[in-house]
Each structure stands twice: as C-alpha cells, then as structure tokens.
Amino acid sequence: MHVETMISTHPHVRGNVNNALVDCIQKCLDCAQTCTICADACLGEDMVAELRQCIRLNLDCADICAAAGMIGARRTGSNETVIRQTLQACAEACRLCGEECGHHAEQHEHCRVCAEVCRECEQACNAAVQSIGMH
C-alpha cells in the first residue's frame, strides 16, 4: 500500500505523518477484505445456519472497517471528531467480530484468521484514536 507516501504528500500534512493512523488505515482496509472473505467462506460451510451471527458480524465489521479506512485516509486530522468516533466504532465492531469468529476458530481456519485480523485492527484503531490530535 502507498498510504504513508500519499498522506505525506498532502499539502496540509506537510510531511508530518501520523504513523499510528497510517497503520490503522492499512489494518482497517485489510480487515474489511478479511471479514468479507470470512463471511463468504462461512456461507460455503455445511453448518451455515450455525454461522449466521458470524456472517452478520463479518459483514458489519467489513463495512465499518472500509468506511473507517477511507475516512482516516482523507486528509488526516481534517475532522478529528468524525475520525475518532469512526475509529472507535470500528474498534468495537472488530472486538465483537473477533470474539464471534474466535468461537469458531477451532473448526474453521478462516474464522481463526479473521479473529486474529480483527484483534489487530481493534488494537490499531485504539492506538490511532489516542494519537489523533497529537500530530
């Protein structure tokens, strides 16, 4: 990804890149893809009915992560309140999705991977929230 390079070239950033936010943006976009793939993989499982809540949380998390990644990528710091609240919502969606996927991790490798990615994204969102306003 070229997130850091692109943000550093923004005229309002002037090279002062918030590395925690850059990491968060990358993890949000990765998590969005991972959750979408996990939901689709759950739909392919024989026990799809038992995975219904997992699929719903995957799709919710994917949507929130995609939005958080894109909002964070737009001129960092431009609307700190919206960025902060979006990242907080993303962290919560990742926490819930990660917990649900964790319940299926022993049976389904895609859920194990998704739970791990969700935890990483949750941590990155929380770190980015703490960093906003410091740069």
Side-chain angles (χ1 to χ4, degrees):
M1 289 191 184
H2 297 91
V3 174
E4 184 174 2
T5 301
M6 290 302 297
I7 289 174
S8 71
T9 65
H10 194 290
H12 295 156
V13 174
R14 294 185 181 93
N16 187 18
V17 176
N18 179 338
N19 291 321
L21 185 55
V22 168
D23 182 56
C24 179
I25 292 164
Q26 292 171 330
K27 285 194 166 73
C28 283
L29 298 175
D30 182 48
C31 193
Q33 293 173 337
T34 301
C35 287
T36 299
I37 294 166
C38 189
D40 191 59
C42 285
L43 288 170
E45 296 291 349
D46 290 336
M47 58 179 291
V48 69
E50 290 87 353
L51 295 168
R52 193 172 287 132
Q53 183 63 10
C54 190
I55 295 165
R56 288 180 177 137
L57 288 171
N58 280 154
L59 295 175
D60 288 348
C61 192
D63 288 344
I64 291 172
C65 284
M70 297 309 290
I71 289 168
R74 289 194 283 273
R75 201 190 80 66
T76 58
S78 64
N79 189 343
E80 291 179 357
T81 301
V82 170
I83 293 170
R84 191 177 295 111
Q85 290 176 350
T86 303
L87 295 179
Q88 289 169 335
C90 186
E92 180 64 7
C94 287
R95 184 185 69 75
L96 294 170
C97 187
E99 284 179 3
E100 182 64 28
C101 278
H103 295 311
H104 309 287
E106 288 186 21
Q107 289 179 288
H108 307 293
E109 180 66 7
H110 52 86
C111 285
R112 186 197 65 74
V113 171
C114 190
E116 181 179 310
V117 172
C118 284
R119 281 189 292 274
E120 290 173 6
C121 189
E122 176 188 5
Q123 292 169 356
C125 286
N126 288 329
V129 166
Q130 295 302 314
S131 74
I132 293 172
M134 298 170 64
H135 289 84

